[in-house]
């Protein structure tokens, strides 16, 4: 069994779904997950229904990967949630939910993936951050803070996992039309686009391009990096 | 249960010794120092050993257990001081896990 083994979180819809379909078409053995069931089916695709932040649901997924393949080459930590709201109108339940999924979920998957990747002394982890952090977007305080936390996790895990041959990097998309930003008014999106060097919406293909670069065998010297799309600084 | 876990830990230590320069003195059994003042493991070695034990417990006993512990890095209080303390600690975690599933 020589095909790459790729785990993608949050692939029922949106960018994660696009990535799952892409890597399945490339012949990877893809493990995917989301809270709700997925209607995507393929012989080399397995879907698990779980919450990425729930340890007792997540551990059996990693057991299944270890039993089935004995290895894991790539982890793409795509699952994420957002909430657009003025800070004064943001309930604590939202704050906790965002940090649970975006930060705790990402951490848990990194930790469990590294345990398997370590055996082969090879692994590629890609986390998801967002332009919301460097742009300090109003209305996204909690979401942006959670993504800053993921950026810091990426940098420190890159150091901790480097002795095991595992790289950890992050991709930060600019706005991509998915349900995640469905509730954001057009005017607000336009304002964000105006702050980019390249003034257009992002696409799942743009995100894929960055991930492909991080996953490459030749990218063994690339770790701890955050790459934002659209020309943000 | 404790006996089974002790055997798993001893096997994992022996397996680790095959590729490591500084050997764990497996012949001392429970009193063999692992991590801390007299320990032979550095923190990366410890991480590798703990993961190997977690995976072996999962494979041999079918129980998914996390041996991570907030005291892991403390050199005085660590549950990973000797093979004996590690076996006790792993047994406790396995029992806790079994209770959750009952
Ligand atoms: N779209 C953008 O403009 C944009 C910009 C910057 C960064 N991003 C980042 O890109 C990533 C993907 O976003 P997207 O736009 O594709 O979002 P999306 O369309 O809302 O999809 C999110 C996916 O994650 C899953 N998910 C959410 N919470 C989960 C949880 N707790 N456990 C398991 N799965 C969960 C969802 O499935 P279930 O509902 O079934 O769980 C869904 O498949 C996110 O990390 C996001 O922050 C997006």
């Amino acid at each position: 069994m020589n095909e790459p083994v790729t785990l993608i979180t949050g692939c029922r819809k949106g960018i994660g779904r696009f990535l799952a379909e892409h890597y399945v078409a490339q012949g990877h053995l893809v493990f995917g997950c989301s809270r709700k069931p997925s209607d995507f089916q393929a012989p080399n695709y397995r879907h698990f229904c779980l919450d990425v932040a729930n340890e007792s649901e997540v551990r059996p997924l990693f057991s299944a990967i270890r039993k089935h393949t004995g290895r894991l080459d790539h982890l793409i930590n795509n699952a994420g949630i957002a909430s657009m709201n003025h800070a004064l109108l943001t309930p604590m339940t939202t704050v906790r939910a965002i940090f649970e999924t975006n930060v705790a979920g990402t951490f848990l998957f990194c930790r469990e993936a590294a345990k398997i990747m370590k055996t082969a002394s090879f692994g590629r982890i890609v986390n998801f951050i967002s332009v919301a952090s460097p742009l300090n977007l109003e209305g996204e305080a909690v979401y942006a803070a959670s993504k800053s936390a993921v950026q810091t996790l990426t940098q420190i895990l890159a150091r901790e996992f480097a002795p095991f041959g595992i790289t950890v990097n992050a991709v930060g998309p600019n706005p991509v039309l998915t349900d995640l930003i469905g509730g954001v008014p057009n005017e607000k999106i336009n304002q964000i686009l105006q702050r980019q060097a390249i003034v257009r919406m992002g696409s799942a293909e743009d995100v894929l391009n960055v991930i492909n670069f991080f996953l490459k065998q030749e990218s063994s010297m690339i770790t701890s990096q955050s790459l934002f799309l659209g020309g943000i600084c | 249960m404790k006996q089974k876990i002790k055997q798993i830990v001893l096997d994992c230590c022996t397996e680790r010794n095959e590729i490591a320069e500084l050997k764990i003195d497996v012949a001392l059994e429970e009193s063999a120092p692992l991590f801390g003042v007299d320990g032979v493991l550095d923190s990366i070695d410890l991480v590798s050993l703990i993961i190997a034990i977690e995976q072996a417990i999962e494979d041999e006993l079918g129980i998914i257990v996390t041996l991570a512990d907030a005291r892991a890095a403390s050199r005085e209080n660590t549950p990973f001081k000797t093979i004996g303390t590690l076996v006790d600690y792993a047994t406790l975690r396995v029992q806790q896990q079994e209770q959750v599933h009952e």
Side-chain angles (χ1 to χ4, degrees):
Chain A
M1 198 171 51
N2 288 324
E3 73 269 40
V5 183
T6 301
L7 169 59
I8 307 171
T9 66
C11 40
R12 178 175 65 84
K13 59 179 184 154
I15 299 169
R17 171 66 173 257
F18 174 86
L19 296 172
E21 290 184 14
H22 171 82
Y23 289 114
V24 160
Q26 293 289 306
H28 293 207
L29 173 57
V30 177
F31 289 84
C33 64
S34 57
R35 288 162 303 178
K36 297 189 205 118
S38 167
D39 58 8
F40 175 52
Q41 287 183 339
N44 51 336
Y45 180 74
R46 313 253 182 296
H47 194 86
F48 288 72
C49 285
L50 54 81
D51 181 334
V52 289
N54 185 326
E55 189 170 6
S56 57
E57 289 176 9
V58 169
R59 287 292 299 269
L61 160 64
F62 283 92
S63 291
I65 295 176
R66 210 160 62 78
K67 287 205 188 94
H68 197 80
T69 68
R71 66 173 223 278
L72 175 63
D73 301 296
H74 313 129
L75 164 64
I76 303 173
N77 262 319
N78 158 85
I81 53 172
S83 152
M84 263 297 284
N85 223 337
H86 192 283
L88 298 183
L89 299 177
T90 302
M92 286 312 287
T93 45
T94 306
V95 177
R96 289 196 190 93
I98 289 179
F99 268 83
E100 276 288 300
T101 300
N102 297 2
V103 185
T106 298
F107 176 79
L108 178 58
F109 271 75
C110 287
R111 188 187 78 188
E112 293 305 314
K115 289 180 186 175
I116 302 182
M117 290 172 169
K118 202 183 151 295
T119 319
S121 296
F122 176 85
R124 300 273 182 266
I125 298 178
V126 182
N127 292 331
F128 269 66
I129 53 177
S130 166
V131 299
S133 307
L135 290 178
N136 291 321
L137 289 185
E138 289 140 345
E140 303 202 6
V142 178
Y143 174 70
S146 77
K147 292 297 186 178
S148 297
V150 172
Q151 189 174 0
T152 301
L153 273 183
T154 302
Q155 290 164 353
I156 297 179
L157 296 183
R159 290 178 166 271
E160 293 195 12
F161 295 171
F164 310 132
I166 302 169
T167 66
V168 192
N169 293 289
V171 57
N174 65 313
V176 177
L177 205 57
T178 65
D179 290 350
L180 190 93
I181 60 164
V184 182
N186 279 344
E187 192 196 322
K188 174 92 188 169
I189 303 268
N190 274 329
Q191 284 170 7
I192 300 172
L193 299 185
Q194 293 307 322
R195 293 175 69 186
Q196 299 171 186
I198 302 164
V199 184
R200 70 159 170 85
M201 292 288 289
S203 64
E205 285 86 353
D206 293 327
V207 179
L208 171 70
N209 180 43
V210 177
I211 296 176
N212 276 337
F213 168 65
F214 287 142
L215 298 190
K216 278 168 74 171
Q217 292 268 354
E218 298 85 336
S219 296
S220 59
M221 197 57 175
I222 318 278
T223 195
S224 183
Q225 302 305 303
S226 299
L227 202 154
F228 293 101
L229 287 165
I232 304 278
C233 53
Chain B
M1 181 58 78
K2 188 175 165 180
Q3 271 315 312
K4 281 189 197 156
I5 292 176
K6 182 174 162 186
Q7 197 52 53
I8 288 174
V9 171
L10 289 172
D11 291 347
C12 287
C13 291
T14 309
E15 204 175 307
R16 175 217 167 259
N17 277 349
E18 284 167 17
I19 48 162
E21 263 177 42
L22 270 174
K23 313 279 183 208
I24 299 168
D25 199 346
V26 182
L28 292 177
E29 295 215 341
E30 304 224 350
S31 53
L34 291 178
F35 184 66
V37 198
D38 308 312
V40 292
L41 305 178
D42 65 21
S43 49
I44 298 266
D45 291 335
L46 178 71
V47 167
S48 301
L49 179 66
I50 297 298
I51 294 168
I53 294 170
E54 273 183 9
Q55 292 177 342
I57 289 177
E58 192 179 309
D59 293 342
E60 291 176 35
L61 308 178
I63 298 166
I64 298 179
V65 69
T66 304
L67 297 179
D69 189 281
R71 296 167 298 154
S74 132
R75 292 198 175 252
E76 286 98 52
N77 255 334
T78 174
F80 309 128
K81 211 173 218 167
T82 62
I83 288 187
T85 61
L86 172 52
V87 170
D88 287 344
Y89 176 67
T91 309
L92 180 75
R93 294 307 294 251
V94 166
Q95 284 163 348
Q96 284 167 342
Q97 198 58 33
E98 283 181 318
Q99 274 165 10
V100 173
H101 287 284
E102 267 168 20

